Amino acid sequence: MTAIRNWTKSSLALRGLQLLALSEVSPRIWQESLPGRVQSALNTWSRSSRLSRWVEPASLVVLCALVLFSAYLPTALSGLLLTAASVCTVFLFAVRSRPLVPLTLPVLAFWVAALVACAASPRLALSIDGFVKFSLYLGGFALAVQLLERPLYRTVTVAAYLIATLPMSLYGLWQWRTGAAALATWVDPDSPLADTTRVYSFLGNPNLLAGYLLAAIPLGLVGAFIWKSWGAKFVALSAASGATLCLIFTYSRGGWVALAAMLAFLAALFYSRFSLRLKPQWRLWLPVGLIVGISVVLALAAGGVPAVSERH
């Protein structure tokens, strides 16, 4: 820990990121800077304008629209939503200043790396196009950082995401039931599994679908546990169940590994929460039983299910 503290005090890289993020700038220097002047002008506007009262609700609508529809819209319309998210972030920053979250510096470092890669690219036009899209996605990230610190906004956004995964999962399960044509090079014609249906739903790629649905499983399970409304519990559990089945039928090895690791982590969290309510002997043998049971299921699946054994 001492070495880490010494590195943080002397690291030029960390210092540069902090300066770029304006995390240690004095109020006087900030007020004299161009962003500070913009914020001051917007603060003056927000104190006198009735529209400022609607900035947060409107921003929440934009964020929920982004979560609900981005997977279903073409790139151009998604870009419009991301642009609106970036504009909302500016107005939110003006209405109410917020401290930087710990994730800001790593994300900012990634953005700087993308900027350097763009500047050094031999195909500058294509790189600029990709860099602009990446920056717009960071605008969506910044909007989420601004809003999701409030529990109500977090709940609404998670509910919007779970609702968005329902038609995605249902269409994927329908593809598994009726068959889905291979649309890309992710099917090896020489593989024994060449005729196996790998669902891809509206996204056109099973690996991409697995990554999109993965977060719905823990969020849906936890939502079904903590939300009080039975309707909300039903939606959350339906989203988690549909996402789990659809992810399995993508036959994505990365998705399967992430699913197994995530379920093990969730089991550990639930065990730590409820272990005090169990009898002493159950506290000892329940984790052992879970580990043995999961190991047996994985071994049987790897050895007895051809679709799994061929994807190891």
Side-chain angles (χ1 to χ4, degrees), residues 7-201:
W7 176 81
T8 58
K9 292 179 181 178
S10 59
S11 172
L12 293 177
L14 181 61
R15 180 63 178 168
L17 287 174
Q18 289 174 337
L19 289 175
L20 189 58
L22 303 174
S23 62
E24 294 185 357
V25 176
S26 67
R28 183 181 61 81
I29 296 177
W30 169 257
Q31 291 170 1
E32 295 176 355
S33 66
L34 180 59
R37 294 176 183 175
V38 172
Q39 185 187 24
S40 177
L42 290 175
N43 273 326
T44 303
W45 167 82
S46 66
R47 286 192 295 268
S48 59
S49 174
R50 294 182 179 179
L51 292 177
S52 62
R53 303 174 186 176
W54 297 94
V55 170
E56 280 200 1
S59 300
L60 181 62
V61 170
V62 171
L63 181 61
C64 289
L66 189 61
V67 172
L68 277 169
F69 304 119
S70 61
Y72 302 93
L73 295 177
T75 303
L77 293 179
S78 297
L80 289 177
L81 281 176
L82 289 169
T83 302
S86 300
V87 173
C88 289
T89 302
V90 174
F91 282 102
L92 282 176
F93 180 69
V95 171
R96 181 163 62 92
S97 300
R98 295 162 174 82
L100 293 176
V101 299
L103 193 59
T104 300
L105 290 181
V107 171
L108 183 60
F110 194 52
W111 182 84
V112 172
L115 177 61
V116 173
C118 176
S121 174
R123 299 186 176 183
L124 188 59
L126 292 176
S127 298
I128 291 175
D129 179 69
F131 179 74
V132 170
K133 292 177 181 177
F134 174 67
S135 299
L136 287 176
Y137 278 106
L138 284 190
F141 163 79
L143 180 63
V145 169
Q146 294 273 10
L147 291 176
L148 297 186
E149 62 181 11
R150 295 188 57 178
L152 175 61
Y153 292 171
R154 284 199 300 269
T155 301
V156 172
T157 305
V158 169
Y161 166 66
L162 293 178
I163 291 172
T165 63
L166 286 172
M168 189 74 69
S169 299
L170 290 174
Y171 185 53
L173 294 175
W174 182 80
Q175 286 181 328
W176 175 76
R177 180 67 178 82
T178 61
L183 298 180
T185 57
W186 35 259
V187 175
D188 184 3
D190 298 327
S191 170
L193 298 178
D195 296 329
T196 300
T197 299
R198 298 186 64 190
V199 302
Y200 47 81
S201 193

Side-chain angles (χ1 to χ4, degrees), residues 193-216:
L193 298 178
D195 296 329
T196 300
T197 299
R198 298 186 64 190
V199 302
Y200 47 81
S201 193
F202 298 105
L203 297 182
N205 187 306
N207 299 322
L208 187 61
L209 176 63
Y212 176 77
L213 293 177
L214 186 64

Side-chain angles (χ1 to χ4, degrees), residues 226-257:
I226 65 173
W227 287 344
K228 298 180 180 180
S229 168
W230 285 104
K233 288 178 180 291
F234 176 76
V235 171
L237 192 58
S238 299
S241 303
T244 302
L245 290 175
C246 194
L247 189 150
I248 292 173
F249 294 137
T250 62
Y251 292 95
S252 169
R253 283 172 290 193
W256 285 355
V257 171

